[in-house]
Amino acid sequence: MPLFQTNNSRFKQNLASGLCFALGSLSVVCSQTILAQSISYVQAEQQIVTTSYSSQAHQALQQSAQLQAQALKGLGLPRVDLNVRAYAFHNELDVPLGALKNNLEQTLTNGLNDKIDKTLPSDLAAPLKDSIQQPIRDGVGLIPDSSQVVLDDQVIRPTVSVMMPIYTGGLTSSTKEIANIQAQRSELTNEQQQDIQRFELIQAYFNAQLQKKLLDSSRFNLQAMQQHYNHALKMESQGFISKGQRMQFEVAQNNAQRVYQNTEANLRSSLFKLNNLIQSDDITDLSTPLFINQQNNQNLTALLKSYQDQSSLIRKMHMDTQLANANVKAQSAAKKPNVFAFGEYSLDDKQNWIVGVAARYNLFSGIDKNKTVHAAELQRYASELMTERTKQEIETTIYTSFNEASSAQQSHVLLQQNVKAAQENLRIQQLSFKEDMGTATQVIDAQNALNSLQSEMALNAYKYVMSLATLLQSHGSIDQFQSYINQSYTDYIR
């Protein structure tokens, strides 16, 4: 009876010292929490989707693609250009004058002969004609046989030109189609990037929560081991246990200290990664805990049927196939002739103008157009095959992650039962050791078993969260992840 009273008093003293240590640690944690900035998952998601560098970059690329599509809406309309030509020229020409001299001589001779015939009688006209023929020939002979003409001028000529394609073989429509598909594809790329960022945030946010839970568990275990060690020191000094038994508690305490230090370092790293991801530097308190939905509200068959309409990746790959098909049309159009109308009007005082229709068909350019068309068709075929392969991978991921999430839900129920059993076992082992009916190893094993189960519950919850995130990411509905946090019948690992 006196022994029981002594042990009981020592137990109360050790319990009081342990509570003081726990309260002291709690006060430090509380003071740190007051100074820390708290953020929920919903707030973090909103922040990363709107302000991250990747989001801003993809939004700019999306706007760029849309502007490119809008810029090509008028493709195929008449093109009107204002042209101004300013030039100076110098030209030297050698003009032959032989024919001119012959024509001039013949014209003068014939003209004078006609005049003479009309005014004089024939007996007088003949001698006169013969007498004037030689002077005409001599006079015309004074003109050189050729002459050099020099032309110098400076001209400024403004004109308005118009050119309108009439037939391009489908190149105009294919170019517009490619621009529109690229604009739609850029929207899907932006959506896909946001989904990737949500997945990265889920991983970083709840990994930090996991490290917090592991740190809490290791801290609790360290405090418990310190309490056991202090109790063992007193019992050794009073001769109730041997030095070997006391040293077992010391080794257990040192191991608990080492685990605590490691988990503390892991928590700092995870918090730094989270802060870096959301472009912050003072987030240390996370208000959304790890969770497990007790009920499975998803249907695997429905998920496998609907992911093609939901997944931004699959929709973007379909866009890639459409782009490849439009490229086939564009390459085929390059083999066809082009017909266009053109016109030009001079804005100077001469007001010259020209209008017409032209056709152009390339006979040889050094490029084998048949091979370029075949290459475009192979690209389309490859895009179709890659889409089907990606579907297989997504279906496998959906199936696997669905089963992993279901397994985590089932494990959570069993872990809850095991924690209750481990708590009761620890209580029994502590009482047995105080009554000298148990060993230090049994107490340490019981404490470690409880600590391991608490850590395993947190790890299982993290496994569930990541399986759920992977499932939603593959399905294309990760933006609905927030709705799973506050569902009914949800257990929170606080």
Side-chain angles (χ1 to χ4, degrees):
M1 187 69 177
L3 177 61
F4 174 78
Q5 290 177 348
T6 303
N7 289 339
N8 191 28
S9 62
R10 285 199 301 269
F11 174 75
K12 290 180 179 179
Q13 291 174 357
N14 293 332
L15 179 60
S17 62
L19 288 174
C20 291
F21 180 87
L23 290 174
S25 301
L26 182 60
S27 63
V28 173
V29 173
C30 290
S31 62
Q32 292 177 349
T33 304
I34 292 174
L35 297 176
Q37 181 178 349
S38 177
I39 189 171
S40 66
Y41 170 78
V42 176
Q43 293 171 331
E45 180 183 316
Q46 183 179 6
Q47 185 169 339
I48 194 174
V49 169
T50 56
T51 64
S52 70
Y53 298 126
S54 297
S55 296
Q56 296 181 58
H58 281 82
Q59 288 172 4
L61 291 174
Q62 178 182 345
Q63 294 175 2
S64 174
Q66 291 174 346
L67 290 175
Q68 289 286 350
Q70 294 173 5
L72 294 178
K73 283 185 177 181
L75 191 65
L77 296 177
R79 172 175 173 171
V80 181
D81 295 316
L82 175 63
N83 312 301
V84 178
R85 300 184 181 94
Y87 57 91
F89 65 88
H90 171 83
N91 195 9
E92 297 182 1
L93 299 175
D94 289 330
V95 180
L97 299 178
L100 177 63
K101 291 168 61 177
N102 293 333
N103 291 335
L104 179 59
E105 180 181 350
Q106 188 67 31
T107 301
L108 291 174
T109 301
N110 292 337
L112 289 175
N113 290 338
D114 290 341
K115 292 290 185 181
I116 293 173
D117 289 339
K118 291 180 180 179
T119 56
L120 296 176
S122 58
D123 56 343
L124 296 176
L128 182 60
K129 290 179 182 180
D130 294 337
S131 63
I132 64 174
Q133 186 174 4
Q134 186 61 38
I136 292 175
R137 185 177 295 110
D138 293 340
V140 173
L142 296 175
I143 300 175
D145 292 336
S146 64
S147 177
Q148 188 178 57
V149 179
V150 178
L151 300 177
D152 288 304
D153 200 359
Q154 294 181 351
V155 179
I156 297 178
R157 180 171 298 169
T159 62
V160 174
S161 63
V162 179
M163 187 176 68
M164 177 178 175
I166 298 176
Y167 176 76
T168 60
L171 182 61
T172 301
S173 58
S174 297
T175 303
K176 289 182 178 180
E177 183 182 2
I178 289 174
N180 291 328
I181 293 175
Q182 287 177 339
Q184 297 173 14
R185 186 180 183 277
S186 67
E187 295 180 5
L188 294 177
T189 301
N190 188 27
E191 180 181 336
Q192 183 186 16
Q193 178 61 29
Q194 290 181 353
D195 289 348
I196 292 174
Q197 288 187 314
R198 288 188 178 97
F199 185 84
E200 291 177 351
L201 177 63
I202 292 171
Q203 189 176 31
Y205 188 95
F206 289 99
N207 179 59
Q209 283 288 45
L210 171 63
Q211 299 305 323
K212 277 180 172 289
K213 289 302 300 178
L214 294 178
L215 182 63
D216 292 341
S217 178
S218 61
R219 181 189 295 114
F220 177 80
N221 187 56
L222 175 59
Q223 293 171 0
M225 289 302 177
Q226 287 175 340
Q227 184 178 353
H228 292 324
Y229 178 65
N230 293 334
H231 190 193
L233 283 174
K234 295 180 180 180
M235 294 184 70
E236 181 191 9
S237 64
Q238 297 175 2
F240 292 105
I241 62 174
S242 65
K243 180 179 179 180
Q245 289 177 308
R246 190 266 302 167
M247 291 184 66
Q248 288 179 332
F249 283 104
E250 183 177 358
V251 172
Q253 176 189 248
N254 293 337
N255 288 334
Q257 179 71 31
R258 179 177 53 83
V259 171
Y260 176 78
Q261 292 173 350
N262 291 336
T263 53
E264 191 176 29
N266 292 336
L267 175 59
R268 287 196 300 268
S269 299
S270 61
L271 286 175
F272 178 83
K273 180 179 180 180
L274 177 62
N275 278 273
N276 196 30
L277 189 63
I278 61 178
Q279 300 176 25
S280 178
D281 56 2
D282 54 359
I283 302 297
T284 57
D285 182 54
L286 310 179
S287 59
T288 303
L290 288 164
F291 66 93
I292 291 185
N293 302 122
Q294 297 179 8
Q295 295 182 352
N296 195 346
N297 299 324
Q298 298 166 328
N299 183 277
L300 180 59
T301 303
L303 291 172
L304 291 173
K305 288 183 178 180
S306 61
Y307 78 91
Q308 296 187 38
D309 297 329
Q310 294 289 333
S311 173
S312 57
L313 175 59
I314 294 300
R315 287 184 290 158
K316 191 173 77 170
M317 296 190 75
H318 284 311
M319 287 285 181
D320 291 337
T321 302
Q322 294 178 19
L323 276 174
N325 188 54
N327 186 42
V328 172
K329 296 179 183 178
Q331 297 300 330
S332 299
K335 299 170 56 178
K336 300 177 181 178
N338 294 329
V339 180
F340 56 92
F342 65 92
E344 187 174 59
Y345 179 77
S346 177
L347 299 179
D348 57 12
D349 54 352
K350 298 180 181 180
Q351 298 182 351
N352 297 326
W353 57 270
I354 182 173
V355 294
V357 177
R360 181 176 61 191
Y361 182 75
N362 179 254
L363 297 177
F364 179 77
S365 65
I367 299 175
D368 192 334
K369 294 183 175 61
N370 291 326
K371 289 184 178 180
T372 59
V373 173
H374 186 54
E377 291 174 345
L378 289 176
Q379 289 177 351
R380 178 182 59 189
Y381 179 61
S383 178
E384 294 172 351
L385 294 178
M386 290 302 299
T387 301
E388 295 304 316
R389 175 55 184 158
T390 303
K391 288 180 182 179
Q392 291 178 331
E393 295 176 352
I394 289 179
E395 289 171 359
T396 300
T397 304
I398 289 176
Y399 187 87
T400 302
S401 57
F402 180 87
N403 288 329
E404 289 178 350
S406 300
S407 175
Q409 289 174 321
Q410 297 169 1
S411 298
H412 179 68
V413 176
L414 298 176
L415 286 171
Q416 285 179 317
Q417 299 173 359
N418 289 344
V419 166
K420 293 180 180 179
Q423 290 172 340
E424 179 62 18
N425 179 54
L426 177 60
R427 187 186 68 83
I428 294 173
Q429 296 301 329
Q430 287 175 334
L431 290 176
S432 297
F433 181 74
K434 291 174 184 178
E435 298 297 332
D436 202 19
M437 298 176 61
T439 64
T441 302
Q442 292 173 329
V443 177
I444 294 172
D445 290 344
Q447 182 67 57
N448 288 334
L450 176 59
N451 179 66
S452 177
L453 284 171
Q454 291 172 340
S455 299
E456 192 172 349
M457 283 193 68
L459 287 168
N460 185 68
Y462 180 71
K463 174 186 175 183
Y464 171 79
V465 169
M466 293 311 302
S467 298
L468 175 63
T470 303
L471 177 64
L472 297 176
Q473 168 81 341
S474 302
H475 181 259
S477 54
I478 196 171
D479 56 330
Q480 301 177 9
F481 178 82
Q482 298 180 13
S483 63
Y484 289 84
I485 297 176
N486 298 316
Q487 281 188 358
S488 302
Y489 307 104
T490 298
D491 281 347
Y492 298 99
I493 314 301
R494 301 186 185 277

